[in-house]
Amino acid sequence: MDRGRLCFALAMATVVLGNGPALAETLEQRVERMEKELQELKSELRRRDAADRRRAAEESKRKAAETAAAPSPAKPGAVAAAPAPAPEAGAEPARTAKAGENERGGYLPSSLRAITDRVKVGGYGSIRYEANSNPADNNTFTYRRFVLTTDANIAPRLHAYMELELERFRQLEVEKTLQPSDGGLAATQAIEATNGSEISLEQAWLQYDVQDWLKFRGGAVLVPVGRFNLHHDDDLWDLPRRSLVDRGVPVLPVPAAWDELGIGFLGDVPLGDDMMLNYQTYVVNGVTLDYEFEQVAQTRFPDTPLQAIEVEVQPFTGTFSNDVKNAKSFTGRLALSPALGHEVGASWYYGRYTPSFLPSESLYSLAGDWKSIFGHFEIEGEYVFTHFGGVKNVATGLARVAREQESEFENPSLESEVEFELANIATSKQGYWLDFRYRFWPDFLTKSFLGWEFENPQLVAVLRGEQVWLNGLVEEAAFGGGRLVSFETDDRRVDRITVGLSYRPVPLVVFQLAYEYTHTNSGQSLSSVTNFIPGTVDHQSAFLFGVAFGF
């Protein structure tokens, strides 16, 4: 058949050759190239056939050896080998002769092939440069985070996922020794780490799909309160800083990405041709008051040196070990998509937040979110409200247990201090953010370095407005002798507006440029209500440049 096609091509070339010498020369070159390509294809087919026959022979030998080694009759009580799992519906049949062939034409070992066929590795990362007007802050590059993900199809309808975050992390080194010294036993420990570093397990769960509308999920799951916590990957956003509500002045009980350990159900329920209802609901260990330990060593000439220990008691994500409270928390989200490109969601969280040694008090969060796409224009926003119950009662209980807020001890060579503080708690927190985005691409940029060799590059103009209100924010909770001596609260507000422009050469890579202005109550400090602005200023301007990528 191939020879007949070649003869036909030669005959057609002969007919056309009569039209001119220049065209005849071109056709002759094409015919020669076609002959060469045909010979190369035949050679490649012969090599592959030989390799297939060799692998088939090796497989037959291996099966024959296994059959000879296996016991002939099964003994009573023997366990039969588990049957191979059935392929998923719609899955491509396995290629017997070429199984394990990689993209370069080589072949992977069967053990490695079994992993790569089932497990997908991905992740995202981001960096940022910031220059601001705050005299207490420095212009700086910040390594925001690098996140690794694995997505494993264990079997049909069984699925596992893991997300590990390295935030501002570069180094962690621990050295320990235990050895005799000077007639005794000496134990030494040294820890080297970079400032602000964090390693956290953001997700790690198993999912069992019963039906599309009913899926079981258990493990470390993202709490489905608001859109951002569920879709927090840096490469998904066009601004280089996360929102105040979810991160900077967290209205969420715990800053995003907020995960908890528990179990629950989720699914998608079709309600019509274009309408879809998505739900998630979980029971989890839940947020609890924990402590952040800060130790300071200070030389004070001519005074004695100071060693100060400050313990900040504040809300943290629930434990992944034994729960410190005899109660569980409940959370969920309903999201309705009335048409493609539109979604409106409502979510909630409720549970006790105090450990067992403090009075039983609960918190709840309610959130609403919305996203709509109208051609090149997008609107996306989120509102969150959180209420902490019995804040003063919690402070009284802490005083009763801790007895003294501060304790001091001084000897001729060292002065020591220990202080307890109730932090980041308010009777109620509420706030919102609202994004307006416009995606466009001027034709004249297509042939520039911004568009060359990219299939669908985009520029995205962004305007974000956001506000947070903190009512009954604990300013001071002083206690002594097991009694609450003073309890002071304040009402605060934080506003921020951001304008930005991002460039996406491909959907998973974004270069971000933004200007933001942040303001709080006049005469108050932003550092007392935010977790990213130092100093005593009540307003700050900042220029930001960021890069985020996913893979």
Side-chain angles (χ1 to χ4, degrees):
M1 180 63 69
D2 293 334
R3 183 174 301 174
R5 290 179 180 176
L6 181 58
C7 293
F8 176 75
L10 289 172
M12 292 299 296
T14 304
V15 173
V16 179
L17 284 179
N19 293 331
L23 184 59
E25 183 180 357
T26 303
L27 290 174
E28 286 176 359
Q29 292 173 351
R30 292 181 181 176
V31 170
E32 290 176 359
R33 189 182 71 250
M34 291 171 63
E35 285 183 324
K36 185 178 179 180
E37 290 176 352
L38 181 59
Q39 294 300 325
E40 290 176 350
L41 286 172
K42 289 181 177 179
S43 300
E44 178 64 19
L45 288 173
R46 283 195 296 268
R47 285 195 297 269
R48 292 194 177 188
D49 289 339
D52 291 344
R53 287 193 297 270
R54 186 169 56 255
R55 282 191 297 274
E58 292 173 355
E59 182 69 13
S60 298
K61 291 180 180 179
R62 184 185 63 81
K63 289 183 177 180
E66 290 178 353
T67 304
S72 44
K75 296 182 179 180
V79 179
E88 294 187 42
E92 182 181 352
R95 297 184 299 163
T96 305
K98 298 186 176 81
E101 184 178 359
N102 61 26
E103 294 179 356
R104 297 183 179 178
Y107 289 84
L108 298 173
S110 57
S111 57
L112 180 59
R113 186 175 69 243
I115 297 176
T116 57
D117 288 347
R118 295 185 296 109
V119 181
K120 297 178 181 179
V121 178
Y124 66 92
S126 62
I127 62 172
R128 179 178 62 226
Y129 176 79
E130 177 178 352
N132 59 54
S133 62
N134 190 340
D137 204 3
N138 296 321
N139 300 339
T140 182
F141 287 99
T142 300
Y143 172 55
R144 297 176 65 190
R145 55 187 58 85
F146 182 73
V147 178
L148 284 173
T149 66
T150 58
D151 192 347
N153 290 314
I154 301 172
R157 301 190 294 124
L158 288 175
H159 173 62
Y161 185 83
M162 186 274 290
E163 185 173 328
L164 181 68
E165 179 184 51
L166 307 175
E167 184 172 336
R168 293 166 176 80
F169 180 85
R170 184 174 64 85
Q171 177 187 5
L172 176 62
E173 183 177 341
V174 180
E175 296 181 2
K176 298 173 66 176
T177 61
L178 181 64
Q179 58 187 7
S181 176
D182 296 333
L185 188 64
T188 61
Q189 178 173 295
I191 299 176
E192 298 179 21
T194 48
N195 183 41
S197 293
E198 178 183 330
I199 303 176
S200 62
L201 186 66
E202 291 195 348
Q203 297 185 70
W205 43 258
L206 171 72
Q207 182 170 303
Y208 175 40
D209 300 340
V210 181
Q211 295 289 341
D212 287 342
W213 61 270
L214 183 63
K215 305 173 184 179
F216 169 84
R217 182 179 292 180
V221 299
L222 289 176
V223 177
V225 177
R227 281 187 60 84
F228 188 90
N229 200 57
L230 293 175
H231 308 283
H232 62 271
D233 297 7
D234 292 336
D235 60 299
L236 300 179
W237 300 89
D238 295 294
L239 293 177
R241 180 118 63 194
R242 293 184 172 183
S243 62
L244 293 176
V245 166
D246 301 285
R247 185 75 178 184
V249 190
V251 176
L252 292 177
V254 176
W258 172 23
D259 63 341
E260 293 287 351
L261 184 63
I263 60 173
F265 294 92
L266 65 158
D268 298 304
V269 182
L271 300 179
D273 293 338
D274 297 323
M275 188 175 296
M276 179 74 71
L277 178 68
N278 171 270
Y279 75 92
Q280 297 186 45
T281 179
Y282 302 100
V283 54
V284 296
N285 278 345
V287 173
T288 185
L289 289 181
D290 207 337
Y291 69 89
E292 186 175 89
F293 186 86
E294 182 178 339
Q295 185 172 1
V296 178
Q298 179 182 355
T299 59
R300 303 180 303 175
F301 184 81
D303 292 340
T304 57
L306 172 67
Q307 176 178 282
I309 298 175
E310 184 175 306
V311 181
E312 288 191 347
V313 180
Q314 56 186 314
F316 281 90
T317 187
T319 176
F320 280 18
S321 180
N322 293 334
D323 199 354
V324 297
K325 49 189 177 55
N326 189 24
K328 295 295 170 281
S329 301
F330 303 90
T331 182
R333 181 174 184 262
L334 293 175
L336 178 65
S337 177
L340 188 65
H342 302 271
E343 182 183 87
V344 58
S347 47
W348 68 91
Y349 173 93
Y350 176 81
R352 174 175 174 169
Y353 72 95
T354 54
S356 298
F357 62 83
L358 291 179
S360 177
E361 298 291 350
S362 299
L363 74 85
Y364 66 84
S365 286
L366 302 173
D369 55 77
W370 167 48
K371 182 177 182 179
S372 286
I373 301 175
F374 306 96
H376 296 281
F377 187 65
E378 297 179 8
I379 303 176
E380 183 172 6
E382 178 182 273
Y383 169 82
V384 182
F385 176 88
T386 297
H387 174 78
F388 286 87
V391 174
K392 187 172 183 179
N393 193 29
V394 172
T396 302
L398 181 62
R400 186 164 51 249
V401 174
R403 302 294 297 170
E404 299 291 340
Q405 182 180 17
E406 297 183 16
S407 61
E408 297 184 8
F409 174 80
E410 184 173 1
N411 61 35
S413 60
L414 180 67
E415 179 181 348
S416 299
E417 293 181 0
V418 178
E419 181 179 357
F420 285 87
E421 180 182 349
L422 198 61
N424 297 329
I425 293 183
T427 300
S428 66
K429 303 179 179 183
Q430 60 179 318
Y432 71 90
W433 58 264
L434 189 62
D435 276 12
F436 299 91
R437 308 188 196 101
Y438 183 73
R439 301 183 181 274
F440 64 101
W441 185 252
D443 291 337
F444 71 88
L445 291 177
T446 301
K447 294 185 179 180
S448 70
F449 73 95
L450 296 176
W452 180 54
E453 291 192 342
F454 296 127
E455 192 169 316
N456 186 30
Q458 287 185 337
L459 293 175
V460 186
V462 188
L463 173 64
R464 172 181 289 177
E466 47 192 331
Q467 290 183 292
V468 171
W469 293 269
L470 307 173
N471 299 318
L473 177 66
V474 177
E475 294 282 338
E476 181 182 2
F479 53 87
R483 296 173 51 252
L484 189 64
V485 178
S486 65
F487 185 77
E488 297 180 8
T489 62
D490 195 6
D491 296 337
R492 298 291 300 276
R493 189 192 80 253
V494 183
D495 309 320
R496 186 166 73 187
I497 187 167
T498 307
V499 292
L501 179 67
S502 70
Y503 160 59
R504 289 185 177 270
V506 294
L508 292 180
V509 175
V510 58
F511 297 85
Q512 307 150 325
L513 186 65
Y515 166 80
E516 65 179 24
Y517 178 78
T518 310
H519 181 267
T520 188
N521 307 69
S522 181
Q524 302 276 13
S525 71
L526 281 166
S527 62
S528 61
V529 286
T530 69
N531 54 26
F532 67 99
I533 298 179
T536 59
V537 298
D538 61 7
H539 66 279
Q540 173 180 289
S541 299
F543 290 92
L544 307 172
F545 171 74
V547 179
F549 59 91
F551 58 92

